[in-house]
Amino acid sequence: MSDDTVTHRLSTEGVDLLTLAGVNDANLIELSRLTGAKISLRGDTLTMNGPVELVERAASLAQRMIDQAKQQMTLNADDVLRMSEDGGAGVARDDGVGAPGEMRIVLPGVRRIVQPKTPGQARYLQLINDHDIVIGIGPAGTGKTYLAVAMAVDALTRKRVRRIVLARPAVEAGESLGFLPGDMQAKVDPYLRPLYDALDDMMPPERVQRSLETRVIEIAPLAYMRGRTLSDAFVILDEAQNATSAQMKMFLTRLGVNSKAVITGDKTQIDLPSREQSGLLQVERILHGIEGIGFHYFNESDVIRHRLVREIIKAYAKDSGTE
C-alpha cells in the first residue's frame, strides 16, 4: 500500500445530511472503519483523507451512500456494511440481474421508496415480477414478507389487481393464546399483526383502514381461505412453514384469473408437531420445474436487521448442523 496521503472531496448538495451521516455520525464512523480513511462532513462537502488506496475505496462507497440518501432511502451503519460487501453498484454478474438498487417500488402515499438492499433481494423481486407463483424461503430478517407486501401494494396502486389478500397459519409458536379475551378475530389478530405492521409502513393509516373495511385488503388466517376463488388478487401466504400439506394444497388451488401468489417461510422455524407435516417442505419437493413457479432462497447475507442477527442465524445453523 502506498504511503502517499491524498484528500478527496464529494459534494453532498441536496442530500439530507442526517440521513447520510446517521445518528451520532454512525454511518460516517462505519465508512471510516470499513475503509481506514479519515472521514469528515462539513457543509455540503464530504472529505476523505488517507493513503490513496484507502481513499479510493472510501470515495466509491461514499458515493453510493450519497446516491441512496438522495433517493430518500433510509441509511444506517448496517446498510453501509452491506454496500461494502456486495462489491459496488453496477457490478456485472452472470445471473442477468442488475444491481440491488435498480428495481425500485415507489409508495406515493407515504412518500417512500422501497428497493432491494442485497443482490438476493433484487433476484427475489425480479422473480415476483416475472412469475405468477413465487416461493421465498430463508431466515428471519431477509425481507421475504416485507418486499412481497410492497410489491402487492404497488400492484394495487397501479390497478394491476383489485385486491390484496394476506394470510398466515394460526399456529402457536410454543405459547398458548387460546385463553386471550375477545371474539375469534381478537384471538387470531396476534398471529396477523406482522402483516398489519408491514401495511402500516407502506400506506397512509386512513387508506389502510378504508381498504380493510371495503375488503380491498383482507388479512385472515389461512383456514379462512377454504372454498374461495381469488381472482384479480395479489395473495401472500406468510409463515408458510406452519401450513400443513392439506392447507398448502388448498391455498395454491385458490388462485384465480389474473392473480399472483407469493409464499414465504423459514424451514428452521416449523412449529407444527412434526416437520413432515409442513406444506412448505412438500411444495419444495414437488413444484420445482413447473413453468410459472419460481423459488428463491435467502441466506444470512440477505438479513437486513441488526448485523448481529446474521451472526445469530449462522450460530444456530452451525449448532443444528444445517450450515
Side-chain angles (χ1 to χ4, degrees):
M1 183 180 294
S2 170
D3 291 330
D4 294 339
T5 298
V6 298
T7 298
H8 188 88
R9 296 179 177 85
L10 291 174
S11 172
T12 59
E13 187 175 356
V15 176
D16 182 89
L17 298 183
L18 179 57
T19 299
L20 178 62
V23 178
N24 296 325
D25 291 339
N27 298 346
L28 302 184
I29 292 171
E30 183 70 0
L31 174 62
S32 180
R33 184 187 72 83
L34 291 168
T35 64
K38 293 181 180 179
I39 310 295
S40 64
L41 179 60
R42 297 288 185 273
D44 289 336
T45 303
L46 182 66
T47 302
M48 291 140 285
N49 183 267
V52 60
E53 292 89 347
L54 302 185
V55 170
E56 286 177 353
R57 185 183 180 202
S60 175
L61 185 53
Q63 187 60 61
R64 295 188 63 194
M65 293 168 61
I66 291 170
D67 291 342
Q68 181 152 323
K70 280 183 177 179
Q71 294 172 3
Q72 297 180 330
M73 295 289 297
T74 58
L75 184 66
N76 58 43
D78 287 344
D79 294 327
V80 178
L81 175 60
R82 276 188 293 274
M83 288 178 182
S84 72
E85 290 175 341
D86 68 25
V91 175
R93 295 201 301 275
D94 59 7
D95 57 11
V97 178
E102 289 181 1
M103 189 167 186
R104 305 164 69 209
I105 303 168
V106 180
L107 303 171
V110 288
R111 296 183 180 180
R112 289 197 58 200
I113 298 172
V114 174
Q115 67 185 54
K117 294 186 175 183
T118 70
Q121 289 188 345
R123 288 191 289 272
Y124 178 59
L125 287 185
Q126 195 62 55
L127 273 177
I128 295 174
N129 194 59
D130 297 341
H131 294 72
D132 287 336
I133 297 177
V134 171
I135 300 167
I137 300 174
T142 50
K144 302 184 299 293
T145 304
Y146 191 86
L147 292 173
V149 172
M151 290 288 281
V153 171
D154 183 62
L156 183 66
T157 301
R158 295 174 184 270
K159 302 187 185 305
R160 292 174 179 169
V161 296
R162 290 191 293 109
R163 58 179 167 162
I164 296 172
V165 180
L166 308 175
R168 259 190 167 205
V171 175
E172 293 168 353
E175 302 171 26
S176 179
L177 300 179
F179 295 101
L180 284 174
D183 58 14
M184 178 60 72
Q185 189 63 44
K187 288 179 183 294
V188 299
D189 266 357
Y191 298 105
L192 307 175
R193 177 47 51 188
L195 298 175
Y196 286 104
D197 290 344
L199 277 178
D200 287 342
D201 212 25
M202 298 176 192
M203 297 172 65
E206 62 277 5
R207 186 182 171 202
V208 173
Q209 187 61 37
R210 185 169 63 251
S211 297
L212 290 170
E213 291 172 353
T214 58
R215 300 182 73 80
V216 170
I217 297 177
E218 182 178 354
I219 303 177
L222 175 59
Y224 287 19
M225 298 295 105
R226 190 173 300 278
R228 303 178 59 186
T229 299
L230 303 173
S231 301
D232 292 308
F234 197 117
V235 192
I236 299 173
L237 174 58
D238 190 31
E239 297 288 335
Q241 74 275 3
N242 290 327
T244 65
S245 297
Q247 287 176 325
M248 182 65 77
K249 180 181 178 182
M250 177 271 292
F251 174 81
L252 288 169
T253 54
R254 298 308 92 200
L255 209 61
V257 177
N258 189 40
S259 288
K260 186 183 289 283
V262 179
I263 297 167
T264 68
D266 179 355
K267 294 189 293 183
T268 69
Q269 297 194 35
I270 296 175
D271 297 313
L272 295 169
S274 168
R275 282 180 58 87
E276 287 68 33
Q277 295 178 359
S278 174
L280 182 64
L281 298 184
Q282 183 183 44
V283 297
E284 188 183 20
R285 291 195 308 269
I286 68 176
L287 296 187
H288 270 291
I290 297 179
E291 187 175 355
I293 299 179
F295 281 81
H296 181 74
Y297 292 88
F298 294 90
N299 56 46
E300 66 272 5
S301 68
D302 295 306
V303 172
I304 55 172
R305 293 179 183 169
H306 193 287
R307 71 185 68 188
L308 287 177
V309 173
R310 278 193 282 181
E311 299 305 317
I312 291 168
I313 290 170
K314 289 168 65 176
Y316 271 94
K318 184 176 180 180
D319 184 66
S320 63
T322 59
E323 192 175 45

